Amino acid sequence: MAKTKGYLVDTTKCIGCRGCVVACKQWNQLPAEQTRFKGTYQTVPDLTGNTLTIISFHEYEEEGQIQWYFAKRQCMHCLDPACLKVCPQKAISITDTGAVVRDNDKCVGCQYCAAACPFHIPRYNRETDKETKCSLCTERTAEGELPACVKACITGALQYGDRDELLALAKKRVSDIIGKYPKANVYGETQAGGTNILYVLADEPSKYGFEENPKVGTVIHAWQDIIKPYFPWLIALTGAVSVFSFFSTRFLGVGKEAHEGESLDG
Amino acid sequence: MVEEKRVVKTTLGARLTHWSHTICWFTLLFTGLVMFSGWFEWLKPVFGGANGANFLHRLFAVIFGAVPLFGLLYKPESFFGWMKEAARWGSNEIKFMMMFPFDLIGLKVNMPPQDRVNAGQKFNSFFFPTVCFFIGVSGVIMWFAESFPLWLVSIAYPVHDLCWILGTMQLMFHAYLGSLHPGSGESFWAMFGDGTVRASWAKHHHTNWYNETYGEDE
């Protein structure tokens, strides 16, 4: 496989400052969200059509102490993206660095990518009638700049680079912290066929609100591989049968007499 | 020439519902195709771009759902009467369905006497409303995706597609059999006109209904 680039999220280094969230908003020129306090420090409750990344806060009481787990959420930039496969307009593509990007002009806002995504990332923007998601700052990285979120990270929790190198780094980090965090693991190496965004998690993925083993649903496959390519031909088939019948009935000449009925007025 | 006696086959309400449904179906079909596949890119300008198509799709979806719902609430006996009519199946209906393929290709067959709606129309009377029901439900789920669990949303897409494909497939038959198939002209013009057909035609095509309604003495 070609070398792809992504970034590593080391959750053990994340302090939940959300500088990355603000940087993302700023670079992409997205408006702020109006939210209400709901008893959590997490600012925006979920990704929206105007919020491409958030830090989700997960609080647990462990050994009499409150433990915070911070998870950065955004497009995972899958190596084999389901959104790309289902998009009826081929509006989603992979750049030569492996970023999964959308073509805003091609997007018709059908939102099928949102339903297909194993990580439930793409969000619908009502105002633009388009789906949105993180582009891994392709326009920045193409110019040799870091993605906005990575550049803003003050603790070094975010690191941009080649996926192979980041993966090695992540594994080394896990072996370093395994003494303190016995359940530490790398997330994104194999999940959903591998992702360009990798995580070092200190505990089970579920504690961060991640699915242990995210999968593309079987109905999605059924739609993509069976219904979409073959079923529309049924329409053509019935159309063809109708045309055939139009000519055959006239050719065989059963004609009007057999169909119109005898006059009752005789 | 003496004007032949005519009998009412379809009511005004039925005709209006039928044609509003037809207009909606085709508008929804073509605006939907813009979303369904890149093949229909050329259709985008017709509806004012993809956003225009999406808007029209939703607008006509509301009419598509509202008209039958209004009919159902305003005159429930009409809908249930139709369903009861369509649910009457006997050996005549089964025979009709078995012989129909021969009739379709133009062979001479003697069809058993039929009710006001023949067996094929009876099948259609269940098939189409069922398809429309699922299209409507899955459409609402996709429209308000945020309010529904993700697994349901992901099922809604294939269901929506499967149903419009099956519906349009049936529509091809329905449109042909109701217009250019030999002997269909009478009911075709009835649907565009005042809903009446020639009595002799009614007796020939819908013998049971004609005899029940207008008596055998004619």
Side-chain angles (χ1 to χ4, degrees), chain A residues 129-235:
Chain A
D129 191 20
K130 308 266 181 189
E131 210 61 25
T132 62
K133 73 172 198 64
C134 152
S135 66
L136 201 45
C137 279
T138 316
E139 64 287 359
R140 289 176 60 88
T141 56
E143 297 293 323
E145 295 275 344
L146 289 171
C149 57
V150 177
K151 183 155 189 183
C153 185
I154 49 167
T155 62
L158 298 181
Q159 239 179 303
Y160 183 76
D162 289 336
R163 185 177 186 266
D164 315 348
E165 287 167 26
L166 293 175
L167 190 59
L169 207 66
K171 284 182 173 162
K172 185 172 179 301
R173 177 70 179 160
V174 166
S175 66
D176 287 348
I177 61 173
I178 201 90
K180 191 173 174 200
Y181 305 108
K183 284 178 185 166
N185 64 90
V186 178
Y187 191 81
E189 183 185 4
T190 55
Q191 278 77 9
T195 59
N196 281 315
I197 310 299
L198 297 164
Y199 288 79
V200 170
L201 303 180
D203 211 323
E204 292 153 354
S206 59
K207 285 211 159 174
Y208 292 85
F210 283 128
E211 264 185 66
E212 206 80 40
N213 198 6
K215 275 204 181 87
V216 181
T218 43
V219 278
I220 303 286
H221 287 300
W223 181 83
Q224 185 62 21
D225 301 333
I226 301 163
I227 298 176
K228 212 181 156 199
Y230 299 115
F231 274 62
W233 292 107
L234 289 174
I235 297 171

Side-chain angles (χ1 to χ4, degrees), chain A residues 42-78:
Chain A
Q42 184 174 330
T43 29
V44 183
D46 205 349
L47 297 168
T48 72
N50 279 326
T51 303
L52 309 184
T53 185
I54 56 163
I55 300 289
S56 63
F57 283 49
H58 304 270
E59 293 174 27
Y60 302 98
E61 203 178 318
E62 283 168 2
E63 293 154 18
Q65 275 196 322
I66 296 292
Q67 285 288 336
W68 256 350
Y69 292 84
F70 305 130
K72 188 177 182 301
R73 258 165 223 289
Q74 73 296 306
C75 172
M76 300 289 280
H77 296 279
C78 301

Side-chain angles (χ1 to χ4, degrees), chain B residues 44-119:
Chain B
K44 279 187 193 174
V46 178
F47 302 110
N51 292 12
N54 283 5
F55 170 74
L56 286 175
H57 198 75
R58 288 176 166 101
L59 178 72
F60 277 85
V62 171
I63 304 170
F64 184 73
V67 170
L69 273 180
F70 173 78
L72 185 62
L73 294 174
Y74 181 69
K75 239 182 164 185
E77 68 276 12
S78 174
F79 174 76
F80 290 110
W82 171 36
M83 285 291 112
K84 229 170 109 185
E85 226 179 345
R88 226 164 64 168
W89 279 74
S91 60
N92 281 348
E93 274 69 24
I94 293 163
K95 243 196 233 161
F96 180 99
M97 287 305 255
M98 282 165 58
M99 280 155 72
F100 182 70
F102 300 105
D103 179 81
L104 183 69
I105 57 171
L107 298 174
K108 205 174 172 102
V109 285
N110 281 318
M111 285 295 189
Q114 295 293 302
D115 298 340
R116 190 183 72 90
V117 280
N118 67 38

